[in-house]
Each structure stands twice: as C-alpha cells, then as structure tokens.
Amino acid sequence: MIDTVERARDTPDHPQPYSELGLKSEEYHRIRDILGRRPTSSELAMYSVMWSEHCSYKSSKVHLRQFGDLPRSEVLLVGIGENAGVVDIGDGYAVTFKIESHNHPSYVEPYQGAATGVGGIVRDILTMGARPIAVMDPLRFGPADAPDTQRVLPGVVAGIGGYGNCLGLPNIGGEVVFDDSYLGNPLVNALCVGVMRHEDIRLAKASGPGNQVILFGARTGGDGIGGVSVLASETFAADGPAKRPSVQVGDPFTEKVLIECCLEIFAADLVVGIQDLGGAGLSCATTELSSAGSGGMHVVLDRVPLRDETLAPEEILMSESQERMCAVVTPSDVDRFMQICARWEVTATVIGEVNESGRLTIDWHGERIVDVPPRTVAHGGPVYERPLARPLDLDDLTAGDPGRLPRPSTSEDLQVLLLRMAASPNLCDKTWVTEQYDRYVQGNTVLAQPEDAGVLRIDEQTGLGVAVATDGNGRFTRLEPYAGAQLALAEAYRNVATTGARPLAVTNCLNFGSPEDPAVMWQFAEAVRGLADGCRVLGLPVTGGNVSFYNQTGDTAINPTPIIGVLGVMTDVARRTPMAFGTAPDEVLLVLGETRDEFGGSEWAWSEHHHLGGRPPAVDLGRERALAEILVTAAEQGLLSAAHDLSDGGLAQALVECCLRGDVGAEVRLTGDPFVNLFSESAGRVLVALPAQRRARFTELCEAHAVPVAELGTVRPEHATLTVAGQFGVPLGELRAAFTGTLPALFGSPGR
Amino acid sequence: MPRVVVDVMLKPEILDPQGSAILGALPRLGFDGVNSVRQGKHFELEVSEPVDEARLRVLADTLLANSVIEEFTLRVLP
C-alpha cells in the first residue's frame, strides 16, 4: 500500500522506523513539526538520507563556517556551497577542483568502491560546466604486510585505474601511506580537476517556472539504497562488515559518454541548472535544485527510467545508481536537449517541472507521496554543537619525546638506516601503484607522480598550466591537530611552489573518527581552526571540501587525517622545475630553510621504532610564503634545474629520490649532526639544484626574501654514487634495489 | 570423478555493464525482441570423493564469487 500524504494525515500515530534510518527521536519530531503531520515513508526516506552526517554536515557545519569567513579572494569565481569551487587562472580560463572520500565503500568492496569514488568526483566537476582533465588519489592503508591490506590495496588501485583509465583521465598524483590506524578503515580520497571558460560556469539551481526537469544518464536500479546513511554514517562493528550493505557498481563507459553529452549540451547553452546524482540520489538532486532556484518543483516519479521495475518509490528516491545527472531546461530547448542525448545514446526523460509553489511535490501512480518545503530537506537539517574534549592520552603522547630513542652512532649505521628508510613502505617507490594509472593520456601532463605536484598544460599556445598537490599527515595531526592541519597545508603549498607554480586555492577532505566522540570532535575543531588560520596567513581561499566522519573500527578512531589539496597556476609550463638531478651541467646543491632536531611524528620514529610522540615540526607560514615566492620567481627566471621539497624522511629521502630520478650521483657535505641533517622533518625546507654560474643570482633572491640558504654539495653525473662526505657512499644500484623492491615484494605483479 | 558446477551472477540489484553492452549490441546486429541481458561466470571443478558440498560452498564463496556484489549456485554432477 502506498503511503500517501493523505494517508499520513489520516494516520498520525502510524509507527515509523526512523531510528533504523539513522534519525534521532528529536530529528523525527522536527520533521513532524515542519510538515505539521507525520512524514510519508517517501518523505521520511528523503529527510533521513539528507539529514545524515554525510549529506547535512550537521556536526561539522559550525566549524566549517570559518572557511567562509576568510577574506574574499579575487580569484574565486564560485565559492563554497556549490558542487565545487571555481578559480580564475587568467586568460579567460577557470579551473575547478575538489576532493571527496569514498572510504567505507572501498573497504567493503575495494574495486567498485574506489572506482565509483572516481566516478562521483568527476561528475561533481562536470556539473560545474567544466571538462574533467585529471584525477589524483590520496590513499591510506593499514600496515603494508597486513592480510587485509593485501585484500584492500590491490582492489582499490585497480578500481581507480580501471575507472579513470576508461574515462581517459590522467592520474597525476596523490599519496600512498601505510599506518596501523587505517587497518579496518582505509582512506580512499579522490580529487578531480576540470577546466572551462569563465562564461561556461554552470550552477545547481532550478529557476524559471515552467522549466522542465530532465533526468539523464543511466537507469535507476536498486544499488546503494541507503548507502549514504548506512555506509557513511555508521561505524563498522569491531567484528568486521557482517551486515554488508548493497554497494554500487559503476560503468566508466557510460560516464565517458555522459561527460561528452553534457559538454555538448553546455556548449549549446541548453541548461538553466544542473546537478549530478551522487549520495542520496534523486532526493538530493530534486531538493537541492529546487531550494536553490525558484523554490518549487513537481516530479512524476513513475517517469524515472528503471533498471528494476519492482523498486518502491522510497527506493527510487534513495537509489545511488551511478552515472546519472539532472538538468533544468526551458521548454523551448527540450527538443534540442533530447536530440543531443539521443545522439550519444543517453537515456533522458522529463520527470518534472519547476514552479513557484515553494514545495517539492512528488506523485507516484497518480497519488501524492511527497509534499515538502525543499529547503527544509536540503538545508534545514539539524546543526549540532558537539561537545569537544582534548583527548585524555594527548599529554602522554606529547610527553613521549622521540629524543630518547636510540639514534645511529656510526657512519655504517647511518648508511644502513638510509637504505632501510628508502625501502620502508611509506618512503619506498610507489611505481607499483602509479604504473596502473594512465598518467599521460590526453597529452597535457607535464609532471606526474613522483614529482612534487602534478602539472597540466591548459593552453597549448601560451603554455598556461596548473599544478595540484595533496598532502596530509595523520601522525602530526594526532600529536597536534592545529599544527598538523597547517603542516599538511604548508606541504601541499610548498609542493606546488616547488614545481614553479603560484599557489592559488585550497580544497580539503577531512577524514576523522566519530563526531559523537568529544575527543575526535576536538581534533576536528582544532584541525579546521588550524587550516582556516593557515589559509588566512597564506592568502588562499578554501574553495570547498568534504568531511568524512565515522572513520573508525569499534571505538578506535583513525589518526585524524585532513587531506589538503592546493592548486597553483603556472604562466608557462615550459618553465616548470622538475625534481631530477642531472638535467643541467655543473649543478650545485643548496638547501633552503632551517633544519632543527625535529623528530616528533617523523617517519624515522615510526618506521624504526614504531614510536609516535612528542610534538610535530614547528610551522612558520610566513616562511612558507617567502619560500614559495623564491621558488616561483626562480622558475620564471629559469634559475633552477631541479627542486624537491623536504618532508617525510627528510633530506636523506629527497637526495635518494632526486638522484634516482635523474640516475646520477651526488656528493654532499653536512655541517653539524649528520643524523639530524639527514632525517629531521623540519618544515619549510626545499632542496634545489642549479648550474654553479646561477648560484649568486639565486642566493641574492633568497637573501631578498630572508630565507636562509646553505651549501650542500654537487651533482656528480660521472659517479653513480650518493656520497655523504666523511660518512659513506652508496652505489645508486644498491639504492635503487632498496627503493624499488618493497611494493612488488609485498603485492606481487599488478592486476586484480 | 564428480564434477561440480558453480554459476556466478551479479546480484539482481547490481548494475551489469557487460550485460548492458550486449543488450545494446543485439539490435545493431539485427536481433530484436531481447529485453534484458545479465551475464555471469560458469565454473566446472573436478573433485575427489567424497564430495563435501558445504566445504565447496565455502570455496565458492571465498574465491569464485565476490559475495558483496555476486551470488552463486552450486550443483554436484555425478
């Protein structure tokens, strides 16, 4: 029996399963107050999914407001609140980028979970009117040798590669990090970048009474029903995924056709507003579109093309079937819209009409099953000021200073340590992962992993391009969330500048445990405050982002992991700075910034001693700004032949990577404690290589910006050895064997 | 030697992109009247006696089918 609005009025005491749908009793009563009656089952489905943590940001909203309060940026064309922020990069071009999480689905079904994560973020970017041009994937897994990592990692990597490669999108970067805290809750974040002309920006709104609402793309099936509320807002029980929810299977070829179809529709200027169907499916699209536009919409749900004719209306409203879009089109353009869809063999159906009633009404078999004010569903959800409490174990953690850990005392020890660190899962070569991704398809990839940032050419004539980097350090954030978020921001910012691009804008994906745990909520509040303050100092807008809560197994939350993405612009990609040594004659090596004895949360403390304690490295964002200014100017003036940021694993790791990348040796001379020099993770440092004749000009530039610069050594193309004078020399062959052997030994040959 | 046949299909609510592609190709090749195509995997195992069907089900569930998105039927042929 269909639960109609009329029936809901007549049966006010009919019991409803609101708590099974994830709604609290006070939330359910709020819905009753809004409607002045009990909701129908379809309305209850819509409210429950839209008021879930994932869709409503009910716990994070009060904190995220700080991003909106940042000073207005001239480059920001579209800000927070739309599907993705849009940034002006000059010459009439606009770029949009965003990261989202697909953590829980990827744990349940690694291949499809990761694949549909890529599909979802690509549609978000497409919705803005942009052509998607690249993806990146920051990933976190449990220990590399854990059995569950052996199950999850290969599936996730194959899923990302499978979907992204089929779309013809280069995967230009990201991270792969292993840590015990992600065992049982891996993080699979997906970033997409898109480009458009300024005039092509599209927004998600349904305005103009009489305009038609068109659902197009794949048919609606029973997949991922309630996925948003069940998958994203409930924690896995400690005994694993016993009740496995229905996950979605994506079809990248359908998505590719949908992309091209949408771009042709945009070019013909046939849409008033557009929205993709992601989490919460039609519930989300219809309520968000109508509350952003004229305020009302009427939908005939029977018209939705179905893959499974037995679906109930509640299920159709909640289905998360992939590869679907919803557009608002003026009546006179509907025919041309339909013709384009037909040409691409994309199913398109008029399912409703915009009006000024202020209500979203939905009919099913001629009966009214939904009659709600759409704003109350899309934006009127509860907002919580959750209690915050500094984690009880934090004092003990910060007191556990890594200064007490045994350090290598002889040069032999140092050499062995360098090799062991280079081979450790977090520092080793990630080719096993990235070679499964197409990094150069479409021919505009200028730099990709393992470079500091992914760099893409936007305009073939002028060489205008963008650089994107993501970073996040869960250990630093665990020790000090405020500083941890700023360190992630600083590193992504530095990575972008290291390639020679000027940082322009920030996006983020905030991965945390349960917001109902005051300790987690405190970490979240501190991280957001740190990020907002950091963006203020760096003069960067936050263009949008995503919050992923409930990342925990039982009561144990993951290390708080804010992933920060920074986008920069490069006036001519021919002027980029790569990381490989040996591309210019007579190269000298310099280190910019200061190296201190900072090992709190370091890779050394973790991989050598399984120790997490002390304080993370000090952050100096003013210094980061000066450093970026130097790197961008030096790139524009063609002063540098190579640059690489110093972060995880410190100087030792940067030297290993730059030598191996260029397949040349180097000789360095250290002043002071060689261990601290090689392995400290002090922030605000960059290793650069440049021809000796340009040294004077470059050091002058550093002095002008008050950034200390130290002589380190020289590149030695004729010696295939990394030599630390007075300490040791390691043949490159030995280094390469250590660096590249780890992942193949753990995961075998790539493939599903 | 007994033969065990395992047929693996995507669960009915799960999208089957390959099945959809086959369905899309049929009219282009002049085959009308087909309204839906679902495709799957067919396994034939030769096993030693005695046949432990419960154990074989665990085998199929562990390796042959991905129980998150697929279901299987198992038959033992004499």
Side-chain angles (χ1 to χ4, degrees), chain A residues 249-261:
Chain A
V249 168
D251 179 1
F253 296 107
T254 301
E255 177 117 328
K256 175 63 178 166
V257 170
L258 194 60
I259 291 172
E260 299 304 329
C261 176

Side-chain angles (χ1 to χ4, degrees), chain A residues 684-745:
Chain A
R685 298 181 303 153
V686 174
L687 168 66
V688 301
L690 69 168
Q693 67 195 52
R694 298 190 201 132
R695 172 166 36 190
R697 267 180 75 196
F698 182 72
T699 43
E700 245 172 63
L701 181 64
C702 295
E703 276 161 27
H705 289 92
V707 170
V709 53
E711 296 276 341
L712 182 69
T714 52
V715 173
R716 303 282 296 275
E718 70 288 4
H719 288 287
T721 304
L722 173 60
T723 306
V724 179
Q727 297 290 337
F728 59 82
V730 193
L732 289 194
E734 208 176 313
L735 264 186
R736 192 178 297 281
F739 184 59
T740 59
T742 310
L743 291 191

